[in-house]
Amino acid sequence: MALSIAMLMDPIGAIKLAKDTSFAMLLEARRRGHALFYMEQGDLALRDGVPFARLAPLTVKDDPAGWFTLGERKWRDLREMDVLLQRKDPPVDAQFIYDTMVLEAAQRGGVNVVNDPRALRDCNEKLFALQFPQCIAPTLVSRDAGELRRFVAEHGEAVLKPLDGMGGRGIFRVKAGDSNLNSMLETLLAGGPHGEGRQLTIAQKFIPQISAGDKRILLIDGEPVPYALARIPQGDEFRGNLAAGGRGEGVPLSERDRWIAAQVAPELRRRGLRFVGLDVIGDYLTEINVTSPTCVRELDAQFGLNIAGLLFDAIEKAPA
């Protein structure tokens, strides 16, 4: 049965076709004969509690010369859609949170929203991993600069990062005694006039196995894709993120990878997190990506997979 599918995403005209997971989903939906509609953040509205969006009919093709065509945008009741795919990139700021409330109104009206909007609000991609202490490296989340300095001194080397970033932005690698540590903490904590921190910051013990890659493991309804994309730092860069210049290399899942996925999967299912990306360095889970996980196109190309097809198989089995 053909479904009406609306996707909330960043501007489609600016995507990179070879790397864009949202585009892979759109191509698969088109292949299956579903009707596609497009919206951006500014197209959402609530009218007397009813969720509306300014939707544009969308056609897509895998052609760098012209990969999409939009029809006339019209305001429509979102409850007319069968499926809403929430693929807006972070930051998960106030406006993102408000968007989830509009999508939740559509969900109450019977629309299948992927991922569940309540879970998007509740599951910060950095903090959610801490619900699985058996899987993570030593970690501290604090606004207190002194505690963060003590954490770095205790472990000798650590990674500091904000709670709302993506693509490797705002991440620092620091060693005990580094003369730049105070400056890093001032930046991350956004310190107030009396030295107090205004923003929670996360510190994780540095994991040397980052040299072999920061693995992205994709899960669909809690089931892991059998290959991960190891994002390997290049040159003097310690970050493996593709957006920070990392090289992507597909690798089979290890036994430890599968164990981590099994630890996390029941909670993902419980929360309605149907498409999720785990970040694993060495033996440790570092993040759980729930907003707009990527790496589908790279894994499909390297291993002849159709990961978006697996997602739509799941969606079509449970369309509401």
Side-chain angles (χ1 to χ4, degrees), residues 255-307:
E255 289 188 14
R256 175 71 177 185
D257 295 335
R258 292 183 181 276
W259 180 82
I260 290 172
Q263 296 295 302
V264 175
E267 185 66 8
L268 300 182
R269 296 189 189 103
R270 187 184 75 81
R271 290 179 177 270
L273 289 166
R274 308 196 65 182
F275 185 70
V276 171
L278 308 183
D279 288 350
V280 173
I281 302 174
D283 288 337
Y284 299 107
L285 174 68
T286 59
E287 294 186 16
I288 302 177
N289 295 269
V290 301
T291 53
S292 55
T294 59
C295 298
V296 160
R297 295 279 269 176
E298 295 91 339
L299 287 170
D300 281 354
Q302 290 188 41
F303 297 106
L305 305 175
N306 180 8
I307 297 170

Side-chain angles (χ1 to χ4, degrees), residues 147-219:
E147 287 300 307
L148 291 162
R149 281 193 292 269
R150 279 188 283 275
F151 181 91
V152 174
E154 176 186 354
H155 295 286
E157 191 168 4
V159 171
L160 307 173
K161 51 190 174 181
L163 294 184
D164 61 354
M166 65 168 288
R169 291 193 293 270
I171 297 179
F172 298 96
R173 175 182 173 183
V174 61
K175 293 183 178 181
D178 191 319
S179 60
N180 290 311
L181 177 55
N182 286 340
S183 180
M184 295 175 192
L185 291 174
E186 288 171 7
T187 299
L188 288 165
L189 296 169
H194 305 294
E196 74 278 10
R198 291 199 295 256
Q199 296 180 174
L200 280 169
T201 292
I202 187 167
Q204 291 175 331
K205 180 181 178 180
F206 177 70
I207 306 169
Q209 290 86 350
I210 183 62
S211 61
D214 179 355
K215 287 184 285 189
R216 167 61 55 82
I217 301 170
L218 295 172
L219 289 84

Side-chain angles (χ1 to χ4, degrees), residues 19-294:
K19 297 183 177 182
D20 197 273
T21 291
S22 298
F23 189 65
M25 293 178 182
L26 292 170
L27 287 173
E28 179 64 18
R30 180 212 63 180
R31 189 184 70 80
R32 293 176 180 233
H34 299 316
L36 295 177
F37 297 89
Y38 170 85
M39 55 179 163
E40 297 176 18
Q41 194 170 42
D43 295 318
L44 289 175
L46 280 169
R47 184 183 305 165
D48 298 328
V50 175
F52 278 83
R54 190 167 44 200
L55 297 174
L58 172 67
T59 56
V60 292
K61 58 182 178 179
D62 202 0
D63 181 357
W67 57 91
F68 72 99
T69 303
L70 292 176
E72 182 184 357
R73 294 175 186 257
K74 292 184 179 179
W75 286 101
R76 294 184 59 173
D77 186 336
L78 276 176
R79 297 173 300 178
E80 297 173 5
M81 297 291 107
D82 296 307
V83 179
L84 295 179
L85 298 174
Q86 200 302 119
R87 294 286 303 173
K88 173 74 180 68
D89 283 343
V92 181
D93 54 13
Q95 298 307 314
F96 187 104
I97 297 298
Y98 302 150
D99 292 343
T100 67
M101 295 175 182
V102 179
L103 298 182
E104 190 173 2
Q107 185 184 54
R108 288 195 297 270
V111 184
N112 184 5
V113 183
V114 180
N115 283 319
D116 187 285
R118 288 165 295 186
L120 293 178
R121 289 199 298 274
D122 292 345
C123 299
N124 175 273
E125 299 188 326
K126 310 295 192 298
L127 296 181
F128 189 24
L130 275 63
Q131 292 192 26
F132 308 94
Q134 71 275 28
C135 300
I136 64 173
T139 302
L140 171 67
V141 179
S142 179
R143 292 187 178 91
D144 188 284
E147 287 300 307
L148 291 162
R149 281 193 292 269
R150 279 188 283 275
F151 181 91
V152 174
E154 176 186 354
H155 295 286
E157 191 168 4
V159 171
L160 307 173
K161 51 190 174 181
L163 294 184
D164 61 354
M166 65 168 288
R169 291 193 293 270
I171 297 179
F172 298 96
R173 175 182 173 183
V174 61
K175 293 183 178 181
D178 191 319
S179 60
N180 290 311
L181 177 55
N182 286 340
S183 180
M184 295 175 192
L185 291 174
E186 288 171 7
T187 299
L188 288 165
L189 296 169
H194 305 294
E196 74 278 10
R198 291 199 295 256
Q199 296 180 174
L200 280 169
T201 292
I202 187 167
Q204 291 175 331
K205 180 181 178 180
F206 177 70
I207 306 169
Q209 290 86 350
I210 183 62
S211 61
D214 179 355
K215 287 184 285 189
R216 167 61 55 82
I217 301 170
L218 295 172
L219 289 84
I220 297 168
D221 283 350
E223 292 296 324
V225 173
Y227 299 93
L229 193 73
R231 297 158 297 171
I232 302 170
Q234 300 297 291
D236 295 330
E237 178 61 72
F238 80 93
R239 297 170 298 174
N241 309 75
L242 299 181
R247 175 176 61 85
E249 179 181 311
V251 295
L253 297 190
S254 68
E255 289 188 14
R256 175 71 177 185
D257 295 335
R258 292 183 181 276
W259 180 82
I260 290 172
Q263 296 295 302
V264 175
E267 185 66 8
L268 300 182
R269 296 189 189 103
R270 187 184 75 81
R271 290 179 177 270
L273 289 166
R274 308 196 65 182
F275 185 70
V276 171
L278 308 183
D279 288 350
V280 173
I281 302 174
D283 288 337
Y284 299 107
L285 174 68
T286 59
E287 294 186 16
I288 302 177
N289 295 269
V290 301
T291 53
S292 55
T294 59

